[in-house]
């Protein structure tokens, strides 16, 4: 009887032990599962932080690249502005030298003849020296030529500006001699600080193209020279030229860049330099613009595809 009781007690103890072991194993499994879940959550958080960090880093790198691109483009504009301004200056100075020489001739004649008629003297100089690309006008805007009919330039803006005592270069106009598109540099003839006539030099369209070329950049870049209202004075030839009309602002707006058009229009009206980013036919383009010092009312616009302006 005792043996039977011991056996039953042992069996009960074994069953209890198995139950406890089973519960302990279950508890351990739950703890391990919690630890695993916690590890997964921690790993997910770490990965998320890394992803956010990488995205922010990529954005920062992209921002630095774009900043470097804009700096490079600004340097390109500055270099080309200086180059074009120097070329314009040399051409304007050459006409100013002629005007100064003529002024000295008149002053010398006045020493010999106190009753000298300055306008007659200018007319005589014009008849002797006027050619197909350089001509002299008196104060009334009349250009006398040897064995030819006079030309009247009174209504020309370049002449009126010159007669205020300022050298200048005209917009593109049509020649009255041959009907070709030309540009004219005009400088006043000054006597006692008063303009008494003017000297003009004709530049052909090809000469202006050469002056406005891009000597410091590749063929992927191109420029426009526009006036304060956006009308194109001249632009370099290029395959991606978006010039559909005679107005840069109008073309830029029509290409799907209204906000950028308003910005450059506002800046140019205020005679400010600036930079805009546009997209034309799917191509991202940076354009920088600045006034041209020696050409009153002219602005240089340099446009370069973003991929072209690589960092230094």
């Amino acid at each position: 009887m005792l043996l039977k009781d011991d056996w039953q007690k042992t069996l009960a103890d074994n069953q209890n032990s198995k139950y406890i072991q089973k519960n302990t194993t279950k508890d351990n499994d739950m703890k391990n599962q919690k630890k695993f879940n916690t590890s997964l959550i921690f790993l997910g958080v770490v990965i998320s932080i890394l992803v956010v960090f990488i995205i922010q880093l990529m954005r920062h790198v992209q921002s630095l690249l774009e900043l470097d691109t804009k700096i490079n483009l600004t340097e390109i504009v500055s270099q080309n502005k200086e180059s074009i301004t120097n070329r314009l200056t040399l051409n304007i100075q050459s006409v100013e030298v002629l005007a100064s020489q003529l002024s000295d001739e008149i002053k010398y004649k006045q020493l010999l003849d106190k009753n000298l008629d300055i306008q007659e003297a200018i007319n005589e100089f014009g008849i002797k020296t006027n050619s197909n690309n350089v001509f002299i006008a008196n104060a009334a805007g009349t250009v006398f030529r040897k064995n030819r009919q006079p030309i009247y330039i009174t209504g020309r803006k370049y002449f009126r500006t010159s007669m205020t005592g300022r050298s200048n270069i005209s917009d593109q106009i049509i020649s009255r001699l041959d009907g070709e598109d030309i540009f004219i540099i005009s400088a006043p003839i000054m006597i006692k600080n008063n303009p008494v006539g003017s000297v003009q030099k004709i530049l052909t369209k090809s000469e202006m193209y050469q002056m406005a070329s891009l000597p410091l950049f590749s063929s992927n870049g191109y420029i426009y020279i526009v006036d304060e209202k956006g009308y194109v004075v001249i632009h370099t030839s290029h395959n991606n030229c978006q010039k559909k009309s005679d107005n840069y602002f109008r073309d830029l707006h029509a290409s799907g860049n209204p906000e950028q058009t308003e910005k450059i229009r506002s800046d140019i009206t205020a005679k400010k330099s600036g930079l805009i980013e546009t997209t034309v036919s799917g191509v991202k383009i940076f354009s920088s613009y600045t006034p041209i010092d020696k050409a009153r009312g002219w602005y240089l616009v340099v446009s370069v595809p973003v991929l072209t302006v690589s960092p230094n």
Side-chain angles (χ1 to χ4, degrees):
M1 188 71 179
L2 181 61
L3 291 174
K4 183 178 180 180
D5 291 341
D6 290 340
W7 179 84
Q8 289 178 343
K9 184 180 180 181
T10 301
L11 180 63
D13 290 342
N14 288 337
Q15 288 178 344
N16 289 334
S17 177
K18 287 181 181 180
Y19 177 79
I20 293 171
Q21 185 178 4
K22 182 178 180 181
N23 286 339
T24 301
T25 302
K26 186 176 180 180
D27 289 340
N28 289 337
D29 289 343
M30 291 180 66
K31 289 180 180 179
N32 290 335
Q33 183 65 40
K34 287 182 178 179
K35 289 181 180 179
F36 179 74
N37 291 341
T38 302
S39 298
L40 282 180
I41 293 172
F42 177 75
L43 181 61
V45 171
V46 171
I47 291 175
S48 298
I49 293 173
L50 286 175
V51 169
V52 171
F53 175 76
I54 292 172
I55 291 175
Q56 292 298 327
L57 180 62
M58 291 177 65
R59 287 178 179 175
H60 180 64
V61 171
Q62 181 65 28
S63 176
L64 289 177
L65 289 175
E66 290 190 0
L67 177 61
D68 197 26
T69 296
K70 292 177 181 179
I71 292 173
N72 286 342
L73 180 56
T74 302
E75 291 176 353
I76 291 168
V77 172
S78 177
Q79 291 169 346
N80 280 280
K81 174 187 175 181
E82 182 177 354
S83 177
I84 292 174
T85 299
N86 288 341
R87 294 181 184 188
L88 282 173
T89 299
L90 287 174
N91 277 275
I92 292 173
Q93 285 178 344
S94 69
V95 180
E96 289 176 336
V97 167
L98 292 176
S100 179
Q101 290 174 344
L102 184 52
S103 175
D104 290 341
E105 287 284 342
I106 293 173
K107 291 175 183 177
Y108 177 73
K109 285 193 172 187
Q110 283 181 316
L111 292 175
L112 302 177
D113 181 3
K114 293 183 179 181
N115 297 318
L116 178 71
D117 187 325
I118 293 177
Q119 295 304 309
E120 282 297 325
I122 290 176
N123 294 339
E124 290 177 8
F125 280 119
I127 291 172
K128 291 178 182 178
T129 61
N130 283 342
S131 63
N132 289 333
N133 65 331
V134 177
F135 57 93
I136 300 168
N138 61 26
T142 305
V143 179
F144 287 97
R145 302 179 297 163
K146 188 176 182 178
N147 300 325
R148 294 184 182 182
Q149 291 294 319
I151 298 175
Y152 304 98
I153 62 172
T154 310
R156 294 289 197 179
K157 183 179 178 180
Y158 63 81
F159 173 73
R160 298 198 307 271
T161 302
S162 188
M163 291 306 294
T164 65
R166 296 182 298 165
S167 301
N168 68 102
I169 183 168
S170 73
D171 293 336
Q172 182 174 301
I173 61 175
I174 298 176
S175 171
R176 292 178 179 175
L177 298 177
D178 54 18
E180 295 293 324
D181 292 331
I182 60 171
F183 298 84
I184 292 181
I185 297 174
S186 182
I189 303 168
M190 304 296 290
I191 301 292
K192 295 181 179 180
N193 295 323
N194 293 313
V196 296
S198 64
V199 178
Q200 283 69 220
K201 178 182 178 181
I202 295 175
L203 293 176
T204 64
K205 200 170 184 179
S206 62
E207 288 172 329
M208 277 298 297
Y209 271 125
Q210 186 176 2
M211 189 183 302
S213 62
L214 284 172
L216 302 173
F217 201 64
S218 71
S219 58
N220 291 319
Y222 44 90
I223 75 167
Y224 297 89
I225 294 178
V226 302
D227 66 15
E228 63 272 17
K229 294 183 179 179
Y231 286 99
V232 177
V233 177
I234 200 167
H235 72 90
T236 51
S237 300
H238 54 89
N239 295 331
N240 296 322
C241 177
Q242 299 299 317
K243 185 176 179 295
K244 306 300 182 183
S245 70
D246 60 351
N247 191 283
Y248 177 78
F249 297 157
R250 188 183 305 132
D251 292 339
L252 189 62
H253 189 282
S255 66
N257 298 277
E259 293 181 4
Q260 293 83 352
T261 302
E262 187 54 38
K263 182 181 186 304
I264 187 173
R265 190 201 307 272
S266 176
D267 285 347
I268 284 181
T269 300
K271 298 179 173 57
K272 292 167 54 180
S273 301
L275 186 144
I276 56 174
E277 179 182 323
T278 59
T279 301
V280 179
S281 300
V283 178
K284 190 176 180 181
I285 296 172
F286 280 136
S287 297
S288 189
Y289 46 90
T290 186
I292 299 177
D293 301 332
K294 288 294 181 178
R296 294 177 178 86
W298 283 12
Y299 297 82
L300 173 66
V301 183
V302 177
S303 297
V304 184
V306 173
L307 295 179
T308 302
V309 193
S310 58
N312 291 325

